[in-house]
Amino acid sequence: MVSKIFEVLLEIFEHNRNVLKEKGWIVSSENSYEWWDGLKSAEEIIISAILVQMSRWEIVKSKVEEMRNKGLTDFYRLYNATEQELYDILKGINFYKTKVKRLINISKIIINLGSIDKFYDRKLLLSIDGIGEETADSILLFAGHKPNFPPSEYGRRVLSRVLGINIMKKNEVKTLVEENLERNVYEYKLLHAGIVTVGRAFCFIKNPKCEDCILKNVCKYHLEKIHRDTK
Ligand code: SF4
């Protein structure tokens, strides 16, 4: 039953690529890095996944672009940059000084590993300061192209309403998806992108915009509300 709903959601997201694209999500293939608002590489995905924690995406995006223009999205260059150089660029992002230290530490780890591919190890990622489950799984899926579904607050809210169940913790989203949808990198990317798009564009905590939502025909929350209103 749940697996069938995931298949339906994937079909809807596939048919509404324009809506996802408007929100910055381009999921074109399993191995593409072109997914997150114009970011272009595994390095940019890793850096932005650290910077975006408790910060606005719009600021993070502009800072990553500034780093790219200065060659600092290359981990060798990043590791050799001074903290002050990075502070000057990243000032404005919440907790930027802590995040600079984390980025330098990550650069060091990747350089010591000798290959970015060795970085895509969930146990390793979770042992690094500043990388929790959501960040780890986002990096694994979108930069490493590994079939790990990222838990997220958007996922918890949207899937609770669509499925008509009470998902208490965002970690439960990961389990629900991975137990009911065969591990497929492209489908996991599309499902995550679609859920985050719906969460940001329509499924607000208060007063969700159900009439405009691309999931309105399959969402239990919405269908039950219509049923109640017509009684
Ligand atoms: S139909 Fe409404 S409740 Fe359901 S996912 Fe869309 S916005 Fe959220």
Side-chain angles (χ1 to χ4, degrees), residues 142-198:
F142 288 99
H145 310 310
K146 308 277 185 205
N148 287 66
F149 195 80
S152 69
E153 184 50 33
Y154 287 127
R156 192 196 65 73
R157 189 191 319 149
V158 171
L159 290 180
S160 288
R161 289 173 172 171
V162 169
L163 297 168
I165 59 176
N166 196 7
I167 303 174
M168 304 292 284
K169 296 179 187 159
K170 60 184 186 180
N171 277 8
E172 291 170 29
V173 171
K174 175 180 177 62
T175 311
L176 190 69
V177 172
E178 292 183 356
E179 284 182 355
N180 288 284
L181 190 60
E182 206 172 309
R183 289 186 181 242
N184 176 300
V185 173
Y186 174 75
E187 290 186 351
Y188 277 21
K189 285 184 176 184
L190 184 63
L191 187 65
H192 181 70
I195 285 171
V196 174
T197 296
V198 167

Side-chain angles (χ1 to χ4, degrees), residues 9 15 27-28 36 48 61 76 127 132 139-140 150 166 183 198 202-203 206-207 210 212 216 218 222:
L9 294 185
H15 284 111
V27 184
S28 52
W36 200 0
S48 60
K61 187 189 171 194
Y76 284 93
S127 72
I139 289 172
L140 288 169
N166 196 7
R183 289 186 181 242
V198 167
F202 312 109
C203 201
K206 286 183 184 169
N207 303 321
C210 297
D212 299 329
K216 68 179 178 184
V218 296
H222 179 58

Side-chain angles (χ1 to χ4, degrees), residues 73-88:
T73 49
D74 176 288
F75 284 121
Y76 284 93
R77 291 282 309 278
L78 184 55
Y79 180 57
N80 287 304
T82 64
E83 286 191 353
Q84 189 57 52
E85 192 181 351
L86 296 169
Y87 289 162
D88 290 344

Side-chain angles (χ1 to χ4, degrees), residues 50-67:
I50 298 296
L51 295 180
V52 79
Q53 296 167 7
M54 290 183 279
S55 295
R56 281 183 47 232
W57 171 249
E58 292 72 18
I59 299 176
V60 170
K61 187 189 171 194
S62 74
K63 298 293 186 185
V64 173
E65 286 169 343
E66 196 176 336
M67 287 178 70

Side-chain angles (χ1 to χ4, degrees), residues 95-148:
F95 309 107
Y96 70 98
K97 289 191 176 179
T98 303
K99 290 175 181 175
V100 162
K101 288 183 179 25
R102 287 175 178 170
L103 288 180
I104 291 174
N105 180 45
I106 287 170
S107 309
K108 187 177 168 188
I109 291 168
I110 292 173
I111 290 166
N112 286 340
L113 287 169
S115 157
I116 198 167
D117 289 340
K118 293 184 183 161
F119 186 64
Y120 303 129
D121 175 314
R122 196 165 192 270
K123 213 169 162 189
L124 168 69
L125 289 177
L126 291 174
S127 72
I128 297 172
D129 181 41
I131 299 187
E133 293 209 34
E134 185 171 353
T135 305
D137 286 322
S138 298
I139 289 172
L140 288 169
L141 181 60
F142 288 99
H145 310 310
K146 308 277 185 205
N148 287 66

